[in-house]
Amino acid sequence: MSIDLVGFLGVVLVAYVVPGPDFLVVVRSATEHPAKGRAAALGAQTGLCVHMLAAVVGLSLVAARSPAVYDTIKLLGAAYLVYLGVRAVLAARRAALERAAGRETADGLEDGADPRIPTEDGPAHGVWRSGFTQGFLTNVLNPKAALFFLSILPQFVDGGGSASRQIFFLGTLNIVIGVAYWFALVAVAARLRAFLARPKVRHRWELTTGWLFIAVGIGVAAAA
């Protein structure tokens, strides 16, 4: 089996570096709590596992050739991104109203941590599950991830060997690389937690990422 690993690795690295829905979910989760960021990363890669296995058994080919199935997956993914964005925007506005009503202490307004953000030593119940679910759904409802295994990945498959085995091998390599990349990104993003814990900064961050999710979701839905 002769596979163009150098070319494949180059394409994979570019695909991860270019920001997309997964990037937004992982970074935003990491700034809430490192554990949530890692969970979101693992969720996203688990979603890739689903696309890889579907490609191996041919299910992704059926979806790719059926406009109705493809459009349904695309619209579900877009709706989920918009949902995440709306939830973030509403959370930011709700927090702003709470501050205006004087529900936060003067210390919290100056430099304290936002009480809604779980601490490093004691993450709130469900943080890991929430991050994993967001990462998984964002990826598994992204038809472009399925098309990667059907259009890009086969270009590096050796015609003389088993296509299914090679797709499985390259897909697994892609997932492992992704886990390493996301975990490194989580470590970097987590360093911003102290800065983002300031309520006013957190408010702007929530609004910015929320509207980005909404914009990306609308863009996915409008894409041909």
Side-chain angles (χ1 to χ4, degrees):
M1 181 174 64
S2 177
I3 299 176
D4 181 10
L5 283 179
V6 175
F8 175 74
L9 291 176
V11 170
V12 167
L13 290 175
V14 170
Y16 276 115
V17 170
V18 175
D22 291 349
F23 181 91
L24 278 176
V25 169
V26 173
V27 170
R28 189 173 184 279
S29 297
T31 58
E32 291 181 19
H33 195 283
K36 186 174 182 180
R38 289 188 290 269
L42 292 176
Q45 296 311 97
T46 302
L48 272 187
C49 288
V50 173
H51 288 301
M52 178 182 68
L53 294 176
V56 170
V57 301
L59 294 179
S60 292
L61 185 60
V62 175
R65 290 184 175 180
S66 173
V69 175
Y70 180 86
D71 288 342
T72 299
I73 296 174
K74 181 179 69 174
L75 291 176
L76 285 174
Y80 184 68
L81 290 174
V82 171
Y83 162 75
L84 291 178
V86 170
R87 193 172 69 171
V89 170
L90 292 178
R93 291 181 176 177
R94 183 168 57 250
L97 291 175
E98 290 176 355
R99 287 195 299 276
R103 295 179 184 175
E104 295 183 1
T105 64
D107 289 339
L109 288 171
E110 299 261 333
D111 28 63
D114 189 329
R116 295 175 296 115
I117 304 174
T119 63
E120 184 73 32
D121 296 328
H125 177 69
V127 164
W128 197 93
R129 181 175 58 186
S130 173
F132 185 89
T133 301
Q134 290 181 19
F136 177 77
L137 290 179
T138 299
N139 196 299
V140 82
L141 293 177
N142 182 3
K144 292 184 178 180
L147 291 178
F148 173 83
F149 285 94
L150 292 174
S151 59
I152 304 299
L153 191 147
Q155 297 180 27
F156 302 95
V157 170
D158 177 22
S162 170
S164 296
R165 290 182 180 178
Q166 292 179 71
I167 289 175
F168 186 81
F169 169 74
L170 292 175
T172 301
L173 183 59
N174 176 22
I175 291 165
V176 171
I177 292 172
V179 170
Y181 172 75
W182 292 133
F183 274 38
L185 184 64
V186 167
V188 174
R191 294 182 178 275
L192 298 174
R193 291 184 73 237
F195 175 68
L196 292 174
R198 299 175 181 178
K200 290 184 179 180
V201 176
R202 188 74 192 180
H203 174 73
R204 297 188 184 96
W205 171 254
E206 292 279 1
L207 283 178
T208 301
T209 55
W211 285 113
L212 279 175
F213 272 122
I214 294 172
V216 172
I218 293 174
V220 169

